[in-house]
Amino acid sequence: MKTSLHLKKYIAYLASILMEVDDQEFNNLIENLRKIKKNKLRLFIAGNGGSAAIASHIAIDLAKSLSINCLNFNEPSLITCYSNDYGYENWLSSCVKNYCDKKDYLILISSSGTSKNIINSANEAKKKGMKLITFSGFKSSNPLRQKGLINFWVDSDSYNFVESTHLIILLSAIDYLKKS
């Protein structure tokens, strides 16, 4: 296959996935980001691996472009300290417990929706009464998808398509809010 044909098929498939994004969930995301900004609330965001990179990118864009108080849990010394003290499965839930308040929002990103540290932090956020927004993919029955106020699920088992879709949804929301 020629490289240009591969790229066109890749983009077409990604576009078909993006066309399946739930309009109501996107509207809910926009309204909640507006509420966070208007009421000067805090937004925390986290993920693992590529999803952690997305979380870092989005935290910076939300703070810089929209003046939303958005922080991510990607500091290496924070991760290693909490993992050492509480175990990797509990490091993120321990951060949520120690850093977040009931009024705060939390975005969790997990391609599979099954990462133990992400699930445990979702449970801690719900226990605290926080507002939770989730991004996942792979199986429609993944446990993360069941936990949020807003849940974006990508019908793909490819990390690259799931992560690209998550990033595009979040960047699109930021660009929409910058214009409105």
Side-chain angles (χ1 to χ4, degrees):
M1 177 185 317
K2 291 186 176 184
T3 56
S4 62
L5 181 58
H6 168 76
L7 181 59
K8 286 182 174 129
K9 285 184 175 183
Y10 194 92
I11 292 169
Y13 182 63
L14 180 58
S16 73
I17 292 171
L18 286 163
M19 294 306 292
E20 296 301 317
V21 171
D22 186 293
D23 291 338
Q24 187 58 52
E25 292 290 53
F26 188 75
N27 290 337
N28 290 341
L29 175 64
I30 296 295
E31 291 311 311
N32 277 276
L33 289 173
R34 279 189 176 129
K35 181 179 178 182
I36 292 165
K37 180 177 170 124
K38 179 183 176 189
N39 296 317
K40 298 182 184 192
L41 302 172
R42 294 186 308 173
L43 171 61
F44 291 87
I45 185 168
N48 295 319
S51 297
I54 292 167
S56 290
H57 183 150
I58 296 305
I60 292 166
D61 281 7
L62 286 168
K64 182 182 72 152
S65 298
L66 300 176
S67 299
I68 288 177
N69 186 358
C70 185
L71 304 163
N72 69 65
F73 291 117
N74 288 341
E75 170 60 37
S77 33
L78 177 78
I79 296 168
T80 56
C81 173
Y82 275 73
S83 292
N84 185 59
D85 291 352
Y86 303 106
Y88 189 77
E89 293 177 356
N90 298 310
W91 81 266
L92 189 52
S93 61
S94 297
C95 287
V96 169
K97 188 176 194 175
N98 291 330
Y99 288 92
C100 300
D101 296 322
K102 179 180 181 175
K103 290 189 272 182
D104 296 333
Y105 281 71
L106 177 63
I107 293 177
L108 293 173
I109 309 168
S110 171
S111 292
S112 69
T114 62
S115 301
K116 290 249 185 200
N117 65 326
I118 299 291
I119 300 303
N120 290 343
S121 63
N123 291 337
E124 182 63 33
K126 288 182 66 100
K127 182 176 162 185
K128 284 189 107 145
M130 295 175 67
K131 311 272 185 319
L132 178 62
I133 300 168
T134 72
F135 287 81
S136 65
F138 294 14
K139 294 182 180 176
S140 62
S141 61
N142 77 66
L144 183 61
R145 184 180 185 202
Q146 315 305 318
K147 298 191 178 289
L149 169 69
I150 301 168
N151 301 286
F152 289 95
W153 172 72
V154 179
D155 188 7
S156 176
D157 60 0
S158 165
Y159 280 97
N160 288 341
F161 285 115
V162 172
E163 290 172 349
S164 294
T165 304
H166 291 164
L167 181 61
I168 290 169
I169 291 167
L170 287 160
L171 290 173
S172 177
I174 291 167
D175 286 343
Y176 180 85
L177 288 166
K178 279 176 18 182
K179 292 178 183 178
S180 59

